[in-house]
């Protein structure tokens, strides 16, 4: 199965040094490759033109879009291009740019009708499982954390999977080398050491989306990633993706590791 994953940016008007490394889709690739081995081939894209060229040259079985407010129009344009030129390709999307309410989700999927399936909440397990589901010709049960529109226009939801306090099963795309091409392009490294937020601030949906759970990623992986990025990255600014870096005692160890490199 040939899979293209895209975390698109407006590269026409933005230099690489101002773009973020696509850590999100890197995580999806690392976990899926670990589960499916050589049954799948996954390519990552940040540049819209490179994605269009790849689609024209080699039609994928599955395309996944990371959905945010700042790239929704890009996804819409290219998603519809895929549906027009490669109608057999399955398109999934995922990310925080979708409301919780059923009516809002129906409106979103109607407006973005190029999307076949949408992944809610954390993506590694449902994305890997939807690959299995497609490889099995949809004969098994659809994974949790998936929504889509039914033929009658109503919303189908497969339900939520419980979140875990530890995310030690999540593999590092940095250490696997899957993000080297973006490091080489001088994009800004992203580092994630935990996920979620225990708070429900009125100006932010982070706590609501993570159901007040903070899930720690493997600290050995994190420390190894810091060393790896320190050797590979040419830029001096990194971004830590945690909602509340400094809240956990181990964050001091992580901060010292960053300072060291």
């Amino acid at each position: 199965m040939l899979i293209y994953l895209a975390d698109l940016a407006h590269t026409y008007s933005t230099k690489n040094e101002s773009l973020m490394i696509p850590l999100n889709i890197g995580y999806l690739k690392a976990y899926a490759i670990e589960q499916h081995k050589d049954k799948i081939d996954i390519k990552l894209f940040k540049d819209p033109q490179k994605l269009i060229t790849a689609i024209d040259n080699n039609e994928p079985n599955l395309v996944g879009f990371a959905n945010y407010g700042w790239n929704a129009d890009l996804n819409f344009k290219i998603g519809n291009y895929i549906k027009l030129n490669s109608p057999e390709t399955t398109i999934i999307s995922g990310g925080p740019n979708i409301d919780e309410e059923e009516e809002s989700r129906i409106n979103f999927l109607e407006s973005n009708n190029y999307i076949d399936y949408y992944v809610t909440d954390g993506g590694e397990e449902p994305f890997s499982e939807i690959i299995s589901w497609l490889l099995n010709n949809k004969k098994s049960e659809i994974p949790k954390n998936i929504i889509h529109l039914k033929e009658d226009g109503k919303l189908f939801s497969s339900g939520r999977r419980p979140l875990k306090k530890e995310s030690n099963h999540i593999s590092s795309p940095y250490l696997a080398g899957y993000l080297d091409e973006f490091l080489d392009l001088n994009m800004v490294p992203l580092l994630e050491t935990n996920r979620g937020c225990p708070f429900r601030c009125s100006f932010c949906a982070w706590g609501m989306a993570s159901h007040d759970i903070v899930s720690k990623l493997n600290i050995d992986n994190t420390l190894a990633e810091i060393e790896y990025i320190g050797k590979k990255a040419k830029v001096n600014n990194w971004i830590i993706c945690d909602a509340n870096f400094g809240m956990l005692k181990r964050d001091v160890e992580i901060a010292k590791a960053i300072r060291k490199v």
Side-chain angles (χ1 to χ4, degrees):
M1 177 184 280
L2 179 60
I3 301 168
Y4 295 162
L5 290 178
D7 176 30
L8 299 179
H10 292 272
T11 53
Y12 182 81
S13 57
T14 309
K15 294 180 180 180
N16 286 331
E17 291 81 357
S18 298
L19 297 175
M20 310 300 117
I21 281 177
L23 177 61
N24 45 9
I25 56 176
Y27 275 128
L28 297 185
K29 176 174 179 175
Y31 187 83
I33 293 290
E34 204 170 64
Q35 301 302 312
H36 296 283
K37 305 294 190 293
D38 57 0
K39 291 181 181 178
I40 60 175
D41 179 20
I42 300 180
K43 301 188 184 305
L44 307 181
F45 295 89
K46 192 80 181 179
D47 186 314
Q49 187 57 56
K50 288 182 180 179
L51 176 60
I52 291 171
T53 301
I55 290 165
D56 290 343
N57 291 337
N58 199 358
E59 188 175 300
N61 304 104
L62 175 63
V63 174
F65 289 103
N67 176 46
Y68 299 96
W70 53 83
N71 67 5
D73 289 346
L74 281 173
N75 291 345
F76 181 84
K77 291 288 186 183
I78 297 179
N80 280 292
Y81 178 86
I82 294 169
K83 281 300 179 188
L84 182 65
N85 295 280
S86 179
E88 298 302 313
T89 297
T90 300
I91 298 179
I92 66 171
S93 187
N97 191 37
I98 189 167
D99 290 325
E100 290 275 318
E101 293 79 13
E102 181 175 330
E103 184 178 352
S104 295
R105 290 186 167 187
I106 290 173
N107 291 338
F108 175 87
L109 292 172
E110 285 178 343
S111 300
N112 297 274
N113 58 4
Y114 67 91
I115 298 172
D116 296 307
Y117 305 100
Y118 197 96
V119 180
T120 61
D121 300 334
E124 286 89 357
E125 294 99 327
F127 175 67
S128 178
E129 290 168 14
I130 209 165
I131 292 171
S132 299
W133 185 66
L134 292 171
L135 288 172
N136 196 33
N137 295 315
K138 304 181 182 180
K139 291 179 181 178
S140 54
E141 187 176 349
I142 193 168
K144 297 287 187 185
N145 288 33
I146 303 295
I147 62 172
H148 67 85
L149 283 184
K150 298 188 286 187
E151 288 185 5
D152 60 5
K154 293 181 179 179
L155 185 72
F156 170 85
S157 174
S158 62
R160 274 178 163 155
R161 68 187 67 222
L163 295 173
K164 303 171 183 176
K165 285 282 189 179
E166 301 282 344
S167 294
N168 290 328
H169 61 295
I170 303 300
S171 304
S172 169
Y174 283 115
L175 301 180
Y178 298 146
L179 299 175
D180 282 359
E181 63 176 295
F182 306 103
L183 285 169
D184 292 342
L185 289 170
N186 294 332
M187 293 185 186
V188 178
L190 300 181
L191 186 67
E192 186 176 41
T193 81
N194 68 64
R195 295 180 176 180
C197 180
F199 309 116
R200 293 207 174 197
C201 304
S202 59
F203 57 84
C204 175
W206 207 325
M208 180 180 68
S210 60
H211 318 301
D212 309 330
I213 295 287
V214 176
S215 180
K216 293 182 288 187
L217 274 67
N218 185 297
I219 191 166
D220 292 333
N221 270 359
T222 297
L223 296 175
E225 284 178 334
I226 290 168
E227 189 173 344
Y228 188 92
I229 295 169
K231 291 177 180 177
K232 288 270 187 181
K234 300 179 182 68
V235 295
N236 290 322
N237 55 313
W238 300 5
I239 292 177
I240 298 178
C241 304
D242 306 355
N244 303 283
F245 185 74
M247 182 172 66
L248 303 177
K249 288 183 178 180
R250 70 179 200 166
D251 292 347
V252 175
E253 181 182 358
I254 294 168
K256 286 180 178 178
I258 294 172
R259 182 182 181 183
K260 185 179 179 181
V261 302

